[in-house]
Amino acid sequence: MKLMGFLATLLSFNLVIFAVIASHQTCPADISVKCGDGSSNEWEGEFFPGISKIKYEGSNSKNPLSYKWYNADEEILGKKMKDWLRFSVAFWHTFRGTGADPFGAPTKKWPWEDGTDSVEMAKRRMKANFEFINKLGVERWCFHDRDIAPDGKTLAETNANLDEVIALAKQLQKGNNIRPLWGTAQLFMHPRYLHGAATSSEVGVYAFAAAQVKKAMEVTHYLGGENYVFWGGREGYQTLLNTDMKRELDHLANFLQAAVDWKKKIGFTGTLLIEPKPQEPTKHQYDWDAATTYAFLQKYSLEGEFKLNIECNHATLSGHSCFHELETARINGLLGNIDANTGDPQIGWDTDQFLTDIGEATLVMLSVIRNGGLAPGGFNFDAKLRRESTEVEDIFLAHISGMDTLARGLRNAAKLIEDGSLAELVRKRYQSFDSEIGAEIEAGKADFETLEKKAMEWGEPHVPSGKQELAEIIFQSAL
């Protein structure tokens, strides 16, 4: 493909750049300070000076820049922690988050930013991304196409911008065992997508979205990405009065089928993921929750081609707990990846906070363990610093907190499983179905006549306690 030739040329060019960068790792982070040999206007240096690689120091450590619970190579239930958790840095929040909210202007200005949306600035951010990943000690990152490279005046120019940044990312990945957990196309911010992308009423928008996804899948594949995500930020409606819902759903299904076909054509073996969300920015999105999305996949015979990327904050917006959404996906064979975040029960929108609730993290990890893990999926931090957190160090503190919380949840879930008391309580609750007639019911072999005879024979059934309080005591004892 033309992409490969273009990228090969850029790789050799960026190899020279990378060699120069490697020799200037003691420069300050502030781009206003001259750094390098003066032969170029490109700033080179360390983005997080004074912060060394984050290490595990145990729960008694008072060092905020250390892991208290996440010990990457420690084995839990026969698998290393890093393999249970498979953490990933989300480029859009970590390096493009500004602190803006619906009521306020941006509050963050990182020292390496120059205020432009140029390709040069995009490449500087990518270098910061890889320094951060290495110091955090994780092996994955994830991205939207438009977050890592700017739009051009034409689609061809936009693709060329993306190619240039992707070439640098490919070079920076070398020798680090780092790759994308997933990539995706941003099909919600540009004004062309005001009516949606795959569900837009305009065929030109549909075609443009297809071209954008095609390219995003190609670069994800080129970088060795393990998954590709579809988040339909505007795939829905504001009112049914001007919406042909059936036609839009048909269009969406055809779009996703075309993506499946392209995945196979380019030899991408990663998992295609759909990320459910109920509303915001649209009033109603077509992938409202895990169950709705599963029904959609079944209707259009796509259930064998996709899994789900469950976001905890989206779960609560749809009226469910994160545990419910994870279990719904899991029991239907659809649990593929988790956006590790949470919302605030006192705030009505998608706040994308780092997950710090130990109880919720324990429930999340119960689902993951029951699922046998998430690979080739994992946990990506679709979470952003609070508006009031404005120092570079805060980026590390937020991720450390999120990683430690999930690591602690993993330890707690393992304790619950090894103890067995909760599983035994559940087993006893359903033990009547372990009888001969119960087995016939579960096998779908008990007809109404047979069941009527049993009801006549047994009389009024005895209904035992559900022991909910005991279940909660057992759960809390593991925290």
Side-chain angles (χ1 to χ4, degrees):
M1 292 189 295
K2 289 182 179 178
L3 171 69
M4 295 300 107
F6 180 69
L7 290 177
T9 302
L10 286 170
L11 282 176
S12 61
F13 174 70
N14 280 290
L15 184 59
V16 176
I17 293 177
F18 184 68
V20 174
I21 294 169
S23 66
H24 294 283
Q25 287 301 305
T26 57
C27 300
D30 192 342
I31 64 170
S32 65
V33 179
K34 289 193 100 176
C35 186
D37 59 9
S39 62
S40 130
N41 292 324
E42 174 61 21
W43 177 84
E44 299 159 0
E46 189 173 1
F47 294 89
F48 305 99
I51 298 179
S52 55
K53 189 159 186 172
I54 309 302
K55 299 185 182 301
Y56 171 71
E57 295 183 4
S59 59
N60 292 324
S61 173
K62 302 299 182 184
N63 176 15
L65 289 171
S66 71
Y67 296 121
K68 317 300 185 298
W69 301 94
Y70 177 62
N71 186 11
D73 291 319
E74 181 181 344
E75 286 202 0
I76 303 286
L77 298 178
K79 190 181 296 188
K80 290 182 179 180
M81 264 195 170
K82 66 179 183 179
D83 295 326
W84 278 118
L85 296 166
R86 291 170 59 84
F87 287 129
S88 172
V89 172
F91 192 93
W92 58 96
H93 281 321
T94 305
F95 291 98
R96 302 307 305 272
T98 65
D101 66 19
F103 308 100
T107 59
K108 296 173 177 50
K109 178 66 161 62
W110 303 130
W112 55 82
E113 292 283 338
D114 64 9
T116 71
D117 195 26
S118 63
V119 172
E120 289 71 25
M121 185 62 246
K123 290 163 76 173
R124 190 180 303 135
R125 288 189 199 104
M126 188 59 68
K127 294 169 190 172
N129 175 53
F130 276 87
E131 182 183 324
F132 178 73
I133 290 170
N134 277 305
K135 287 187 172 181
L136 198 63
V138 299
E139 298 177 346
R140 292 168 182 85
W141 63 295
C142 49
F143 64 92
H144 296 79
D145 52 357
R146 298 299 179 258
D147 297 325
I148 62 173
D151 267 313
K153 294 179 181 177
T154 64
L155 180 58
E157 185 178 317
T158 299
N159 286 347
N161 290 346
L162 183 58
D163 284 340
E164 191 169 347
V165 177
I166 288 296
L168 175 61
K170 183 77 168 181
Q171 184 61 52
L172 294 170
Q173 284 187 170
K174 280 188 175 181
N176 288 311
N177 195 33
I178 294 171
R179 66 162 93 179
L181 179 65
W182 52 259
T184 188
Q186 188 194 80
L187 303 176
F188 52 89
M189 186 172 289
H190 196 282
R192 76 173 68 90
Y193 296 124
L194 80 162
H195 299 310
T199 60
S200 175
S201 53
E202 295 301 314
V203 70
V205 174
Y206 186 98
F208 199 103
Q212 192 174 332
V213 169
K214 174 182 178 290
K215 182 68 174 179
M217 290 180 73
E218 289 168 1
V219 298
T220 301
H221 179 39
Y222 178 71
L223 289 173
E226 298 178 275
N227 307 271
Y228 184 89
V229 170
F230 292 87
W231 178 59
R234 297 189 187 276
E235 311 294 23
Y237 61 81
Q238 299 293 357
T239 174
L240 283 174
L241 293 174
N242 66 352
T243 301
D244 187 334
M245 185 163 63
K246 180 183 183 305
R247 201 169 188 183
E248 289 194 1
L249 287 167
D250 289 346
H251 291 173
L252 178 58
N254 291 335
F255 191 96
L256 293 174
Q257 181 60 60
V260 170
D261 295 341
W262 188 244
K263 165 191 167 176
K264 294 175 180 177
K265 189 167 185 177
I266 64 175
F268 178 49
T269 58
T271 304
L272 299 181
L273 300 164
I274 294 176
E275 182 176 327
K277 188 180 184 182
Q279 74 276 323
E280 195 191 77
T282 59
K283 178 180 179 179
H284 179 99
Q285 287 169 216
Y286 293 133
D287 51 5
W288 181 275
D289 59 8
T292 304
T293 308
Y294 182 40
F296 171 86
L297 293 173
Q298 287 180 309
K299 172 178 171 58
Y300 291 102
S301 301
L302 290 167
E303 66 269 28
E305 304 291 353
F306 291 86
K307 290 193 175 183
L308 301 186
N309 178 40
I310 300 297
E311 179 177 317
C312 289
N313 203 166
H314 292 179
T316 52
L317 288 174
S318 68
H320 305 302
S321 67
C322 188
F323 192 36
H324 169 91
E325 286 291 270
L326 293 172
E327 286 294 275
T328 300
R330 182 185 70 81
I331 64 177
N332 288 297
L334 293 173
L335 180 54
N337 195 80
I338 298 174
D339 273 15
N341 66 14
T342 190
D344 188 317
Q346 293 177 293
I347 299 177
W349 67 77
D350 192 5
T351 53
D352 284 336
Q353 298 171 225
F354 280 84
L355 176 59
T356 57
D357 185 298
I358 305 302
E360 184 171 11
T362 302
L363 293 172
V364 166
M365 293 314 303
L366 271 176
S367 263
V368 172
I369 292 171
R370 290 170 181 173
N371 199 58
L374 293 173
F379 286 90
N380 62 278
F381 288 106
D382 188 9
K384 56 193 173 188
L385 290 180
R386 296 302 84 202
R387 177 177 169 80
E388 301 80 8
S389 299
T390 58
E391 295 180 1
V392 168
E393 181 189 61
D394 295 332
I395 306 175
F396 281 90
L397 296 175
H399 282 79
I400 290 168
S401 175
M403 292 168 70
D404 264 346
T405 299
L406 283 163
R408 194 169 177 181
L410 172 61
R411 293 175 185 276
N412 292 342
K415 279 194 289 183
L416 284 169
I417 289 169
E418 290 171 333
D419 172 73
S421 298
L422 189 60
E424 179 61 13
L425 184 152
V426 175
R427 187 199 67 78
K428 284 183 176 179
R429 189 176 180 210
Y430 296 93
Q431 66 184 351
S432 66
F433 280 89
D434 295 332
S435 62
E436 182 179 349
I437 186 63
E440 288 183 18
I441 292 170
E442 293 187 339
K445 296 179 179 178
D447 58 32
F448 274 8
E449 288 180 324
T450 301
L451 293 171
E452 182 187 45
K453 289 178 182 178
K454 286 294 182 182
M456 293 288 189
E457 175 187 337
W458 292 336
E460 185 63 31
H462 167 67
V463 182
S465 169
K467 296 291 184 183
Q468 181 174 332
E469 289 76 15
L470 178 57
E472 290 168 351
I473 288 171
I474 295 170
F475 177 75
Q476 292 294 331
S477 69
L479 303 188

